[in-house]
Amino acid sequence: MEDHGGNIYDKDIRIDFSVNVNPFGMPEAVKRAAVRGVEESFRYPDPRQRELRQALSDAFCIPAERIVAGSGAAELIWGITAALQPGKALVCAPSFGEYEGALLARGCQVERFYLRGENDWLATRELVRRAGEEPGLEMLFLCHPNNPTGRLAPAEILKGLAHVCHERKITLVVDECFLDLTREGEAASALALQGDCPELLVLRAFTKMYAMPGLRLGWLAAGGEETAESIRRMLPPWNVSWPAQMAGCAALEEQEFARKSADLLLEEREWLSGQLRKLGFRVWPSDTTFLLFEGPEDLQEACLKEGIYIRDGASFPGLWAGTWRIGVRTREENLVLLEVLREIMKERKMDRWQK
């Protein structure tokens, strides 16, 4: 079972639906910037990523001193746990597995809060209550929107968590790596809560929107300069390459590309959800550009025979065999997926999936 999507290197894949990356690809200006970075890679990259952090500061109105850049969001997650060394942490399940992995690697006691399918995987007041009552809690990770469920935390839940974590001096890490691929966008960000909750860390990445997972570039905004510097000290020197730094600066100028991509993919998500339901699959609501659905337990194996790769939901604690996550792709690619799924259901003489 794969821990993450995108591992196509030992498989014969036509279309990779296991990743949640913008199918429209990397913008041309970002590619050109990355190539210039390669041409300038005869020298070391700026170890403090000054130009990139200033560009992020200008774009998001955050002091550059509070911004930490990393080789992808995953490196920053590990940097957070290394710097802050929590003794006990709370994570949601199902959710991105690197939170728990990074915490356990530091000897942290990890507790899980299980989201429920009958609530369409939404975070509820029960999570806020748990954060307020869990003895000895020092850190809480929240994926917003959540991976693999695609759900944003309701605004009142996000505010409630920030309040409780501030009152109890709990570090709240809000992972917003998919936020720019939602209708709500910046309006749903936790960044505005940092003024009242300096314990809040907000995590972002260029990976999804700008289709640059191979370049590895993420960043976080800390509530204070001291926290940012403590995390920065835990990262390797020169951890962000020149091509990645230059690509990131160029990507921040691609606002029209980002807006159009989100609009098109969110429309396509609605269409694809409807088509999957017509095929008889159970599909949960999503706020972003990937979908969680339920089907036969051997669906990944059947799809792989046709060169289609889908993510096995059972690799996420809190999900089960027969749950599948797919990234929304172009209409042409989505039609290929639907035809493969239609044939699989037809061969099994099924017009609706029932567990």
Side-chain angles (χ1 to χ4, degrees):
M1 188 179 296
E2 304 281 1
D3 288 333
H4 299 289
N7 185 11
I8 62 173
Y9 303 102
D10 57 351
K11 304 171 185 69
D12 184 13
I13 301 300
R14 266 196 302 161
I15 308 175
D16 185 7
F17 283 89
S18 75
V19 294
N20 311 327
V21 174
N22 189 341
F24 299 119
M26 196 184 300
E28 288 302 317
V30 177
K31 286 182 187 176
R32 290 194 296 270
V35 169
R36 288 198 304 275
V38 171
E39 292 169 348
E40 295 183 18
S41 289
F42 60 87
R43 61 176 178 236
Y44 284 99
D46 178 0
R48 302 287 291 188
Q49 307 101 22
R50 293 169 180 84
E51 185 178 354
L52 173 63
R53 289 195 295 118
Q54 188 57 54
L56 287 164
S57 174
D58 294 342
F60 293 95
C61 300
I62 304 163
E65 295 76 17
R66 285 170 38 202
I67 295 173
V68 183
S71 179
E75 181 184 62
L76 293 168
I77 291 166
W78 285 71
I80 289 166
T81 59
L84 302 183
Q85 299 272 343
K88 185 176 184 180
L90 182 66
V91 301
C92 293
S95 196
F96 186 50
E98 288 304 309
Y99 313 141
E100 192 164 342
L103 290 163
L104 291 173
R106 291 289 162 182
C108 180
Q109 177 186 342
V110 179
E111 300 292 331
R112 292 175 181 164
F113 176 84
Y114 285 94
L115 304 168
R116 302 205 310 238
E118 55 265 36
N119 292 333
D120 287 334
W121 306 110
L122 283 170
T124 64
R125 292 293 307 176
E126 181 64 20
L127 175 59
V128 180
R129 187 197 63 77
R130 178 81 177 273
E133 297 179 1
E134 183 72 37
L137 191 63
E138 296 179 35
M139 186 172 285
L140 191 156
F141 277 91
L142 179 72
C143 195
H144 172 68
N146 191 32
N147 178 16
T149 64
R151 301 315 308 269
L152 285 162
E156 66 274 15
I157 302 303
L158 198 57
K159 289 177 183 177
L161 283 174
H163 176 75
V164 165
C165 288
H166 177 58
E167 289 291 313
R168 298 191 66 199
K169 303 304 178 191
I170 297 166
T171 299
L172 173 61
V173 186
V174 179
D175 180 347
E176 297 184 347
C177 285
F178 294 99
L179 190 67
D180 50 1
L181 286 164
T182 66
R183 294 260 181 233
E184 293 77 1
E186 291 302 317
S189 177
L191 283 170
L193 300 173
Q194 281 188 319
D196 295 327
C197 181
E199 297 81 8
L200 173 61
L201 301 174
V202 178
L203 187 65
R204 298 280 186 96
F206 289 82
T207 301
K208 313 303 179 184
M209 175 60 83
Y210 300 103
M212 43 190 280
L215 281 174
R216 311 303 305 137
L217 183 60
W219 62 279
L220 68 81
E225 293 180 25
E226 186 177 340
T227 302
E229 188 57 33
S230 68
I231 296 168
R232 199 175 287 117
R233 283 197 298 267
M234 288 296 151
L235 303 176
W238 311 292
N239 65 314
V240 182
S241 70
W242 259 137
Q245 289 188 42
M246 294 182 73
C249 289
L252 290 170
E253 300 294 325
E254 293 294 314
Q255 295 179 12
E256 184 66 10
F257 170 87
R259 185 189 64 77
K260 287 184 176 179
S261 292
D263 286 348
L264 288 168
L265 289 172
L266 291 167
E267 274 187 34
E268 191 68 11
R269 179 202 69 202
E270 289 304 301
W271 178 83
L272 183 56
S273 297
Q275 296 300 309
L276 288 168
R277 291 188 180 101
K278 286 180 182 178
L279 288 177
F281 295 108
R282 180 186 185 186
V283 185
W284 283 281
S286 172
D287 297 309
T288 187
T289 57
F290 53 87
L291 294 168
L292 183 67
F293 71 100
E294 190 175 35
E297 293 186 9
D298 63 344
L299 192 61
Q300 184 186 67
E301 181 183 354
C303 286
L304 281 172
K305 291 177 182 177
E306 302 299 326
I308 303 298
Y309 189 23
I310 62 176
R311 178 71 193 274
D312 187 351
S315 61
F316 294 92
L319 291 181
W320 54 89
T323 52
W324 309 100
R325 190 199 69 191
I326 54 171
V328 176
R329 301 193 62 81
T330 65
R331 177 62 60 91
E332 181 181 10
E333 291 171 313
N334 293 334
L335 284 169
V336 173
L337 170 67
L338 291 168
E339 184 57 33
V340 167
L341 294 175
R342 185 177 293 109
E343 288 301 313
I344 291 170
M345 297 293 277
K346 185 178 177 181
E347 287 173 7
R348 297 170 186 209
K349 297 181 172 56
M350 299 173 67
D351 57 9
R352 180 158 299 276
W353 167 246
Q354 292 181 338
K355 192 168 182 179

